[in-house]
Amino acid sequence: MNICGCVVETRERAAPAVAQRLLGLPGVGLHASAGGKLVVTVEDTPEAMAADTLAALGQVDGVLNTSLIYHYGGDEPLEDGDREHQSA
């Protein structure tokens, strides 16, 4: 199981459209948006590994830059409560 936290940068006016495109990728969740910065998580899914989705983030129309901020990789999936403790 891989869980990654990323900041995706775009132009402020393009942020809503870029967010929708990102949400179309497997394992992507949107958690915050301010100006032209989007905070997203990327997780392994049956359709794609997180690493493949991370590589695809930069290819999304309107994305200017991506930064990996957090990564969890382990053999066992995290329980919902454990995610909060891992990212703190």
Side-chain angles (χ1 to χ4, degrees), residues 14-80:
V18 171
Q20 288 304 308
R21 290 183 201 114
L22 293 173
L23 290 171
L25 297 174
V28 173
L30 176 66
H31 301 279
S33 177
K37 295 184 180 179
L38 309 170
V39 177
V40 300
T41 52
V42 179
E43 298 185 33
D44 287 337
T45 67
E47 296 83 30
M49 299 296 292
D52 296 331
T53 303
L54 284 172
L57 292 179
Q59 303 303 311
V60 171
D61 187 37
V63 170
L64 301 175
N65 188 42
T66 63
S67 299
L68 178 65
I69 303 300
Y70 172 82
H71 174 254
Y72 167 83
D75 294 333
E76 297 181 21
L78 290 173
E79 298 297 325
D80 285 338

Side-chain angles (χ1 to χ4, degrees), residues 1 3 72 76-86:
M1 171 59 115
I3 301 170
Y72 167 83
E76 297 181 21
L78 290 173
E79 298 297 325
D80 285 338
D82 291 340
R83 290 184 187 177
E84 293 174 18
H85 298 296
Q86 290 287 329

